[in-house]
Amino acid sequence: PYTTLFRSALKATPNGDCLFNAISLLVRGNELAAMLLRLLVAGELYFNALFYADHHVFVDTIRSNSDLSLDTLFTVALTEAGADECSKNRSKTDAVKSEALVACTRGEWSSFLHILGIASVLSKQVQSIYPDVNFPHSQNSETKSICHKRSSWR
């Protein structure tokens, strides 16, 4: 594993489920919970779509980078299916629900919204480190801490 500043990179199976495989590795020590995590994130996104459609991380990012519109940033955080839904219906909530359906499908790549959902499902802060992706609005190796949603029923 690659280690830097108290962080270690773990090798997860690169089969489209890599986000959920990696989280399963962290939580359980193996990848057996990946599909369960997918389904939990799907439910989290679907039943809390309004919350994720207006998640504070988007507004906070816009405040620090005025070159980007809120709608553009939101669209970048989606899979192709979510972006298509957002463009078709002009509804962020419908786009989040589309992302929930993506989360139900084994082998489908995840989006940033799935990372937001993971934080809430685990009730833990998630720190993601983005490599250089050649996107004009990202910084190389940008680190972003994602706080979980506090549920009213907990």
Side-chain angles (χ1 to χ4, degrees):
Y2 173 73
T3 305
T4 179
L5 297 175
F6 309 107
R7 293 185 185 107
S8 295
L10 302 176
K11 177 131 173 88
T13 305
N15 59 359
D17 296 324
C18 52
L19 170 65
F20 298 101
N21 289 337
I23 296 297
S24 181
L25 274 170
L26 288 170
V27 173
R28 297 194 41 134
N30 59 47
E31 297 179 356
L32 296 176
M35 192 62 202
L36 174 61
L37 288 167
R38 273 190 169 281
L39 296 175
L40 290 170
V41 167
E44 173 65 24
L45 293 176
Y46 191 87
F47 293 113
N48 298 290
L50 190 59
F51 172 81
Y52 290 99
D54 294 318
H55 197 283
H56 70 84
V57 75
F58 299 120
V59 175
D60 293 348
T61 302
I62 293 301
R63 285 187 188 135
S64 67
N65 184 350
S66 60
D67 295 342
L68 204 56
S69 76
L70 191 57
D71 289 340
T72 300
L73 181 63
F74 180 78
T75 303
V76 169
L78 303 172
T79 62
E80 186 177 348
D84 288 348
E85 187 67 30
C86 191
S87 135
K88 181 174 75 175
N89 292 332
R90 300 279 183 231
S91 167
K92 289 193 220 177
T93 304
D94 287 346
V96 174
K97 288 182 177 182
S98 180
E99 292 296 295
L101 295 176
V102 169
C104 292
T105 309
R106 179 172 273 138
E108 286 293 319
W109 287 24
S110 301
S111 70
F112 184 71
L113 278 181
H114 296 115
I115 296 172
L116 296 177
I118 282 275
S120 292
V121 163
L122 298 176
S123 294
K124 300 277 185 203
Q125 179 176 315
V126 173
Q127 191 171 62
S128 60
I129 302 171
Y130 290 93
D132 179 8
V133 293
N134 201 20
F135 179 66
H137 302 291
S138 69
Q139 299 171 347
N140 292 349
S141 300
E142 180 179 347
T143 301
K144 189 78 165 164
S145 293
I146 310 301
C147 294
H148 60 88
K149 172 180 69 62
R150 298 192 200 292
S151 298
S152 57
W153 49 270
R154 288 187 198 195

